[in-house]
Amino acid sequence: MSLYHPVNLNCPHCGKALEFSASVSVNADRAPELREAILDGSFQRESCPHCGTGLRLDPQLNYLDVGRGQWIAAYPGAWVDRWAELEAAAQQAFDKAFGAQAGTAAREIGAELKPRLVFGWGGLREKLVAADAGLDDTGLELTKIALMRGMDDLPPGQELRLTQATGEGDDAALVLLLVPDDPDGELEELSVPRAIYDEILAEPEDWQPLREQITAGLFVDVLRLTRGG
Ligand SMILES: [Zn+2]
């Protein structure tokens, strides 16, 4: 089921009270249009009925796509430093619904699901884009590390989010958004050859220690090496 809860907030522009219908659960198998809306960035985007200012509620939801093997707990981007605590909560929620504490039928479904924890719409959308492009998300995170090591102007804590995979064969590329620390900061994208990712997958032993660190929990993200926790 895809579920919503009413939330009350004040418009950041005119200050008037608003009631927003916040998504708490997305079932992409039953409502594929919600997955599309996450991909095109329209999901949970509304405008203030008083002044017309556009608003987007931060994600705080569970996303399920059995067909693509995805179970994702998504939280607001600003909560990323709390990943360790939220990772434990997400693991519990997954275990209850599809893991050790679930019934036989649910456990069978759960065996085919990759549980993940993400922050922000960019973090959620990235997992959908990666799955669509046939990219292993751990390999993607290792690719980000390779980029940070190789580019002097890319600091180790830089948040990078895959926005699309383009081209084929030798032209295949991954487009990554450099997320600014300041939410009003300028957005910059980086297009890198997919070959960097392919080379990492071809050298599993070289990357094994980092792979273990990145996949130590549901927050499969390079930020677990540099943020909060
Ligand atoms: Zn308003």
Side-chain angles (χ1 to χ4, degrees):
M1 286 252 281
S2 297
L3 298 171
Y4 295 85
H5 265 328
V7 291
N8 296 297
L9 64 154
N10 294 320
C11 171
H13 186 69
C14 72
K16 290 197 173 140
L18 307 175
E19 193 178 275
F20 210 123
S21 195
S23 167
V24 291
S25 155
V26 170
N27 186 317
D29 301 285
R30 289 188 203 165
E33 70 278 9
L34 299 185
R35 175 178 174 273
E36 287 304 320
I38 292 169
L39 284 169
D40 71 21
S42 62
F43 191 57
Q44 296 270 274
R45 214 181 267 285
E46 309 241 346
S47 43
C48 170
H50 308 292
C51 71
T53 297
L55 318 158
R56 194 173 194 192
L57 209 63
D58 285 324
Q60 198 174 337
L61 56 90
N62 279 323
Y63 176 92
L64 175 65
D65 186 338
V66 174
R68 292 181 179 81
Q70 295 189 291
W71 182 96
I72 304 171
Y75 288 99
W79 294 13
V80 65
D81 287 323
R82 293 172 54 199
W83 66 260
E85 160 208 345
L86 295 166
E87 183 174 74
Q91 181 72 59
Q92 271 186 2
F94 181 78
D95 288 346
K96 211 169 154 189
F98 293 107
Q101 297 157 48
T104 313
R107 277 207 309 275
E108 275 172 22
I109 295 171
E112 306 295 322
L113 294 172
K114 270 191 198 172
R116 294 289 187 258
L117 169 67
V118 300
F119 293 91
W121 291 115
L124 176 57
R125 187 178 178 280
E126 173 179 63
K127 295 292 183 192
L128 308 193
V129 172
D132 225 17
L135 295 164
D136 159 60
D137 63 344
T138 310
L140 175 63
E141 296 307 309
L142 296 175
T143 302
K144 294 176 187 176
I145 295 177
L147 291 173
M148 288 171 203
R149 283 177 177 173
M151 297 174 68
D152 290 341
D153 50 356
L154 219 51
Q158 172 70 50
E159 182 176 348
L160 293 168
R161 294 290 165 210
L162 177 73
T163 56
Q164 55 173 328
T166 60
E168 285 180 29
D170 291 346
D171 295 330
L174 305 178
V175 181
L176 298 154
L177 175 73
L178 280 74
V179 181
D181 282 340
D182 170 5
D184 297 322
E186 205 178 318
L187 297 179
E188 250 188 283
E189 277 188 337
L190 189 67
S191 180
V192 300
R194 180 170 166 149
I196 297 175
Y197 165 88
D198 293 330
E199 279 165 26
I200 289 169
L201 288 205
E203 297 164 348
E205 280 169 28
D206 296 357
W207 289 93
Q208 192 54 28
L210 272 171
R211 181 178 283 274
E212 281 169 19
Q213 276 182 278
I214 298 279
T215 57
L218 268 54
F219 186 40
V220 176
D221 192 305
V222 62
L223 294 183
R224 71 183 292 134
L225 306 181
T226 52
R227 301 292 298 260

